[in-house]
Amino acid sequence: MSSTPNETGKGVLYATGAFFIWGLFPLYWKPLHAVPALQILCHRIVWSAVFVAIVLLVQRNWRWLGDSLRDGARLRVFALSSLLLSFNWLIYIWAVNENRVVEASLGYFINPLVNVLLGRLFLGERLTRTQGIAIGLATLGVAWLTLSVGTLPWVALSLAATFGVYGLLRKKAPLPSLEGLALETFLMLPLALAALLWFAVRGDGAFGQLGLATDALLMGAGVVTAIPLLLFASGARRLKLATVGLIQYLGPTIQLLLGVWLYHEPFGSSRAIGFGLIWAALALYSGHGLLGYLKARRAAAA
């Protein structure tokens, strides 16, 4: 990974672009509110597979696919990761169109802390005292939201858990971003196509029934899925993990603002307290990581 100022600047630009697009995702899925979330998911899988296949054809980048199909262990891991990613997409799309953007944003705020916890439980990574306090604060925030609202924020917890375990699985069978997305969508493609065919035969398929604008948005789901992933991969290769960790909060922050200001979802004092505890946890976690990065950099310079 290059550390030149020019490459670092590009990395910040690419990573910021990726999280900015992810933050704007509610604006894309909201106009599709008349389409059931499961159908949107199936179209997202199908058109993502089409888009990445075109990119791979242009790049003439297919050798990895044969190796992956012959690797049983990798296939099993990616089959499970593709299921988790599909569940994550389904829950998020459903939440946006059920006016739960604020709760969905909470899931991506707590996701970094879930990653730390999963690393401790499954990878044997040791928690620092600061990380432990951060996870404790986030747990208090979730508990407060549960008690004040009367229900567990299952949308947020499901999004954080599915994406956290997805990342854990991808550590076990790593592939670059484009190739990983391609394998995941190719594995889910038969199921998605079968489901769309079933919807069409039953007479309640949305494609071709709700106008050209809806059809265009469904087809464009593949592009809007792949582009931020490719931007993120390009940015992550050029940046330190601590830098990416700070930029990643841009996405859920934009989603939260859209939920409160554009879609007028409730955000009273009870939610503010719960979110405040989680933001305090994130500030502690990010500040600790940033200080560690700066100390390591000073030590390397010395």
Side-chain angles (χ1 to χ4, degrees), residues 2-14 234-235 238-239:
S2 175
S3 60
T4 65
N6 185 45
E7 286 298 294
T8 300
K10 286 182 180 179
V12 170
L13 185 63
Y14 292 146
S234 297
R238 294 171 168 85
L239 296 174

Side-chain angles (χ1 to χ4, degrees), residues 279-300:
W279 287 331
L282 292 173
L284 191 63
Y285 166 77
S286 300
H288 175 69
L290 185 60
L291 284 175
Y293 164 64
L294 292 175
K295 286 180 181 178
R297 191 168 184 177
R298 281 198 296 267

Side-chain angles (χ1 to χ4, degrees), residues 89-149:
W89 287 356
L90 179 62
I91 294 166
Y92 182 77
I93 293 166
W94 178 87
V96 167
N97 288 334
E98 289 293 319
N99 301 313
R100 301 178 79 160
V101 175
V102 170
E103 189 177 345
S105 73
L106 175 63
Y108 293 108
F109 275 123
I110 64 177
N111 179 245
L113 300 175
V114 170
N115 289 339
V116 172
L117 185 59
L118 290 173
R120 175 68 184 90
L121 293 175
F122 296 103
L123 300 179
E125 298 175 355
R126 298 186 63 180
L127 288 179
T128 66
R129 183 180 178 185
T130 304
Q131 288 173 331
I133 294 172
I135 290 174
L137 280 174
T139 303
L140 282 175
V142 171
W144 173 264
L145 289 170
T146 301
L147 292 172
S148 61
V149 178

